[in-house]
């Protein structure tokens, strides 16, 4: 089996990449030059929306509802391949996921059919929940949906930052129907006459994802028939929060795509730029920066892939896993850009030239951090979940569904959004099963002569247990708003990510990962190093040995035009760009 045979399970993603072509081709509408031109004019990426809208718009819709979903990890890969060319392209072609997800989760058969038909025709479903006066304090929202004598409702008030609100063909609105608490809100689907009565305000642009303009909307006594309600009255917040788990997992693709572009551009520059009579990459510091960035991308990749598979295999755990994936992807991708910008120097902020796509990707990546879940709100939710883990829970065997989330050859059950939950019922499956996995993995690594990797696996186990116990102590003796809870939640996310990387390696040790021989820990050890260091409240770059390993892997995958991923796909890129000393070698 060759390395690229591992992409056989993702035919839609592999075909999409070839369709999009070489991003370095200046004439390619899906390439870097086109992205730079669109960004300069703050233009909507219409080429992506028209070409890919129906395909990506149905990529998260289960086939029983008329969609194109195979598995969610393939959808993440597809969105990542699009985002590496232009971060704005993913929302342009997939912004319907939140609104359409609410309909798929709670809508009637008629509502689902209408929305799927709309998506298949390239239409867009908007989502309106946030209000400018309240931000992430959703339970303070004031927009009202009041009962009317007609048997329906009247909608009054306003919503804020409705993505592609100017373009949407349907709109899901979550508005207040009661007094207090989560049960005071209801979700409705507006189309036709109801949507025509919505007053759309001036779009608001952002520094990144330019052209994806968010719109304010106003409702002035809009008539909403009773059959527009999604699910039941009073379930709006529950529906939205469950669907946000799906959105958070999919949003990791945007971080991965942007970070992939940033890393590749920095690597190309470091290999081709002369400094002191030799290529920049021949110097220890820039080489170490690129290597560290590569390890961070691989960490994000592992977390995104396994969280996406977990949506199928362990849907009830996604209230935690999706939040962890969101936190890890946004934090580590920001680190990737910090490291790579130091390598590129002034070229990292230029708006033209061969590396102009770097600054666009960095700005796009920053905007993704604030889409769907505010960072501190996400950490508060994670802290609350971790604090509810059973104290000193007995070690458990690895359930089949946990193994399926990590074992890439396993057939996944269908995606069931109705099985998502807002609370863990007992322990997190990974945290509970990890001690047994860690013991077996460490023993196997020591037997293969990988003593450093083995020691890191056991360190992940010890620190993960320690963070959970520390959270229990805080719950017992500290006020609810103690900021140390968020600090512990942030550390938990990194350690949970490290555990996911170990599980990914352990359950696929007979399989090729990252184009490496089966069982190789060449990718795992540097990844654990960067995650453990950050979980210890430090952010150093890799040491010399780990840097050499990670750099060699990143360079090999880059030059062979493979995605930097556990499941590498052949990229459509042409030959890597070279300048200076690299071109002369």
């Amino acid at each position: 089996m060759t390395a690229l045979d591992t992409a056989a399970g993702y035919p839609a993603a592999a075909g999409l990449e070839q369709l999009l072509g070489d991003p370095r081709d200046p004439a390619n509408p899906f390439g870097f030059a086109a992205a730079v031109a669109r960004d300069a004019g703050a233009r909507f990426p219409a080429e992506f929306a028209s070409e890919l809208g129906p395909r990506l718009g149905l990529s998260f819709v289960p086939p029983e509802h008329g969609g194109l979903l195979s598995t969610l990890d393939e959808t993440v890969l597809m969105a990542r391949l699009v985002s590496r060319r232009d971060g704005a392209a993913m929302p342009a072609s997939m912004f319907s996921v939140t609104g359409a997800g609410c309909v798929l989760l709670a809508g009637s058969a008629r509502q689902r059919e209408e929305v799927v038909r709309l998506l298949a025709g390239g239409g867009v479903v908007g989502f309106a929940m946030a209000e400018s006066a309240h931000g992430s304090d959703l339970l303070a929202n004031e927009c009202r949906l009041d009962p009317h004598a007609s048997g329906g409702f009247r909608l009054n008030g306003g919503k804020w930052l409705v993505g592609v609100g100017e373009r949407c063909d349907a709109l899901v609105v979550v508005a207040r129907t009661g007094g207090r608490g989560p049960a005071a809100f209801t979700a409705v689907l507006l189309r036709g006459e109801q949507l025509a009565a919505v007053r759309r305000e001036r779009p608001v642009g952002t520094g990144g994802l330019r052209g994806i303009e968010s719109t304010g909307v106003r409702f002035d006594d809009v008539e909403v028939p009773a059959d527009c309600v999604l699910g039941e009255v009073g379930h709006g917040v529950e529906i939205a929060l469950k669907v946000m788990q799906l959105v958070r997992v999919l949003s990791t693709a945007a971080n991965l795509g942007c970070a992939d572009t940033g890393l590749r551009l920095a690597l190309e520059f470091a290999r081709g730029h002369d400094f002191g009579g030799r290529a920049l990459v021949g110097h220890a510091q820039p080489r170490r920066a690129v290597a560290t960035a590569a390890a961070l991308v691989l960490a994000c990749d592992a977390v995104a892939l396994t969280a996406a598979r977990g949506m199928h295999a362990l849907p009830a755990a996604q209230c935690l896993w999706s939040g962890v994936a969101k936190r890890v992807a946004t934090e580590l991708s920001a680190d990737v850009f910090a490291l790579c910008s130091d390598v590129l120097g002034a070229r990292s902020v230029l708006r033209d030239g061969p590396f102009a796509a770097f600054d666009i990707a960095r700005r796009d990546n920053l905007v993704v951090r604030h889409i769907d879940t505010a960072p501190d709100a996400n950490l508060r939710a994670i802290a609350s979940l971790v604090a509810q883990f059973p104290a000193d829970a007995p070690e458990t065997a690895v359930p089949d569904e946990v193994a399926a989330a990590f074992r890439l050859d396993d057939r996944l059950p269908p995606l069931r959004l109705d099985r998502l939950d807002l609370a863990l019922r007992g322990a997190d499956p990974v945290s509970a099963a990890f001690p047994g996995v860690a013991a077996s993995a460490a023993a196997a690594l020591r037997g293969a002569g990988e003593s450093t990797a083995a020691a890191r696996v056991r360190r992940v186990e010890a620190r993960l247990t320690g963070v959970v116990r520390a959270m229990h102590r805080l719950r017992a003796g500290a006020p609810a708003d103690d900021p140390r809870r968020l600090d512990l939640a942030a550390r938990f996310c990194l350690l949970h990510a490290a555990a996911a990387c170990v599980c990914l390696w352990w359950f696929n040790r007979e399989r090729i990962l990252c184009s490496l021989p089966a069982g190789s820990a060449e990718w795992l050890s540097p990844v654990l190093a960067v995650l453990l260091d950050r979980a210890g409240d430090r952010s150093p770059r890799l040491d010399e040995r780990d840097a050499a390993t990670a750099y060699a892997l990143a360079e090999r995958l880059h030059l062979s035009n493979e995605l930097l991923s556990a499941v590498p796909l052949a990229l459509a890129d042409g030959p890597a760009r070279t300048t200076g000393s690299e071109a002369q070698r």
Side-chain angles (χ1 to χ4, degrees):
M1 180 173 68
T2 66
L4 291 183
D5 286 339
T6 59
Y10 303 100
L16 175 64
E17 172 63 16
Q18 297 309 307
L19 170 70
L20 294 174
D22 183 0
R24 296 189 188 88
D25 180 356
N28 184 357
F30 308 122
F32 295 145
V36 170
R38 282 191 298 270
D39 181 81
R43 298 199 306 272
F44 184 81
E47 301 88 347
F48 283 92
S50 60
E51 178 70 29
L52 304 178
R55 181 187 303 201
L56 292 182
L58 292 171
S59 66
F60 57 84
V61 179
E64 60 267 27
H65 296 316
L68 300 176
L69 174 69
S70 55
T71 58
L72 205 64
D73 46 330
E74 179 159 43
T75 301
V76 167
L77 280 172
M78 293 169 68
R80 175 180 177 179
L81 294 171
V82 169
S83 297
R84 81 181 187 94
R85 297 156 185 283
D86 185 345
M90 180 182 171
S93 50
M94 294 184 73
F95 228 133
S96 296
V97 62
T98 311
C102 290
V103 177
L104 293 173
L105 171 63
S108 66
R110 177 187 60 80
Q111 289 169 328
R112 289 197 301 268
E113 289 170 4
E114 286 182 359
V115 163
V116 171
R117 187 162 56 246
L118 187 155
L119 295 177
V124 178
V125 182
F127 178 74
M129 186 170 185
E131 299 177 14
S132 60
H134 305 295
S136 61
D137 187 7
L138 301 177
L139 299 187
N141 284 351
E142 302 173 63
C143 180
R144 294 199 61 84
L145 186 70
D146 293 313
H148 189 264
S150 64
F153 302 88
R154 292 294 184 271
L155 182 59
N156 285 280
K159 293 292 181 179
W160 183 56
L161 295 183
V162 179
V164 291
E166 282 289 313
R167 298 171 179 268
C168 67
D169 306 287
L171 182 64
V172 171
V173 182
V174 179
R176 183 178 292 277
T177 47
R180 309 173 81 180
F185 297 87
T186 298
V188 291
L189 173 66
L190 307 185
R191 290 205 66 194
E193 294 180 8
Q194 296 82 43
L195 187 60
V198 174
R199 181 155 52 91
R200 309 189 197 202
E201 300 178 331
R202 183 175 64 85
V204 177
T206 55
L209 300 183
R210 285 161 64 81
I212 306 297
E213 294 177 324
S214 296
T215 307
V217 294
R218 297 291 307 177
F219 312 106
D220 299 315
D221 213 32
V222 174
E223 182 179 350
V224 180
D227 62 2
C228 291
V229 171
L230 294 176
E232 300 177 23
V233 171
H235 286 226
V237 168
E238 177 187 350
I239 293 167
L241 292 182
K242 286 180 177 178
V243 170
M244 286 299 177
Q245 297 172 25
L246 171 67
V247 177
R248 284 195 289 268
V249 171
L250 288 177
S251 77
T252 62
N255 294 124
L256 275 163
C258 292
D260 184 275
T261 293
L263 173 60
R264 287 179 187 276
L265 291 174
L267 181 53
E268 286 187 4
F269 176 73
R271 296 185 73 247
H273 182 68
D274 265 337
F275 183 80
R278 54 184 168 140
L280 185 62
V281 79
H283 298 266
Q285 187 71 349
R287 187 181 185 91
R288 187 168 64 138
V290 170
T292 304
L296 294 171
V297 170
L298 286 173
C300 292
D301 170 75
V303 171
L305 281 174
T306 55
R309 293 180 62 82
M311 289 289 296
H312 293 263
L314 293 158
Q318 296 314 302
C319 55
L320 176 69
W321 285 28
S322 65
V324 169
K326 176 73 175 181
R327 173 71 183 186
V328 169
T330 54
E331 293 296 315
L332 297 193
S333 60
D335 284 353
V336 168
F337 280 101
L339 290 160
C340 292
S341 65
D342 287 348
V343 174
L344 283 163
R347 289 169 179 81
S348 69
V349 295
L350 296 183
R351 296 293 180 91
D352 55 17
F355 303 100
F358 181 90
D359 188 51
I360 296 171
R362 174 170 50 189
R363 287 185 280 115
D364 290 347
N365 189 68
L366 178 60
V367 175
V368 176
R369 177 184 181 88
H370 298 281
I371 289 176
D372 67 65
T373 306
D376 281 357
N378 188 31
L379 278 184
R380 284 195 295 271
I382 292 168
S384 176
L385 290 168
V386 175
Q388 295 168 27
F389 286 5
D392 296 315
E395 180 182 323
T396 63
V398 180
D400 290 343
E401 57 268 25
V402 174
F406 293 99
R407 195 159 43 224
L408 298 176
D409 289 328
D410 275 18
R411 185 179 180 87
L412 292 170
L415 180 67
R416 292 283 304 273
L417 296 180
D418 60 326
R419 292 185 178 174
L420 297 173
D421 206 334
L422 298 182
L424 285 171
R425 311 299 176 181
D428 163 48
V430 167
S431 303
F434 189 65
V437 172
S440 299
L445 288 165
R446 280 194 300 270
E450 296 282 358
S451 58
T452 299
R456 286 171 177 164
V457 169
R458 298 316 297 255
R459 197 147 63 243
V460 170
E461 177 197 357
R463 290 190 183 181
L464 185 60
T465 300
V467 165
V468 173
R469 288 175 177 169
M471 190 71 83
H472 274 275
R473 290 194 296 271
L474 269 183
R475 184 182 68 173
D481 62 348
D482 191 318
R484 289 177 295 174
R485 292 180 187 271
L486 300 193
D487 296 340
L488 285 171
R491 290 180 62 195
F492 174 85
C493 289
L494 291 162
L495 294 166
H496 195 277
C501 291
V502 174
C503 290
L504 183 65
W505 176 82
W506 174 249
F507 287 110
N508 295 280
R509 60 194 183 280
E510 303 300 324
R511 175 191 174 100
I512 292 172
L513 296 178
C514 303
S515 297
L516 296 167
S520 171
E522 187 176 327
W523 68 274
L524 178 64
S525 192
V527 167
L528 295 183
V530 294
L531 291 171
L532 282 165
D533 283 336
R534 281 157 177 75
D537 300 321
R538 295 176 291 125
S539 299
R541 301 175 188 185
L542 293 171
D543 63 23
E544 183 177 353
R545 177 182 174 184
D546 286 322
T549 300
Y551 178 83
L553 175 58
E555 184 178 60
R556 185 162 66 247
L557 292 174
H558 175 63
L559 294 180
S560 60
N561 280 335
E562 296 178 48
L563 192 66
L564 194 69
S565 170
V567 286
L569 282 93
L571 299 179
D573 301 39
R577 186 169 40 222
T578 55
T579 59
S581 60
E582 174 63 21
Q584 298 166 14
R585 285 206 289 264

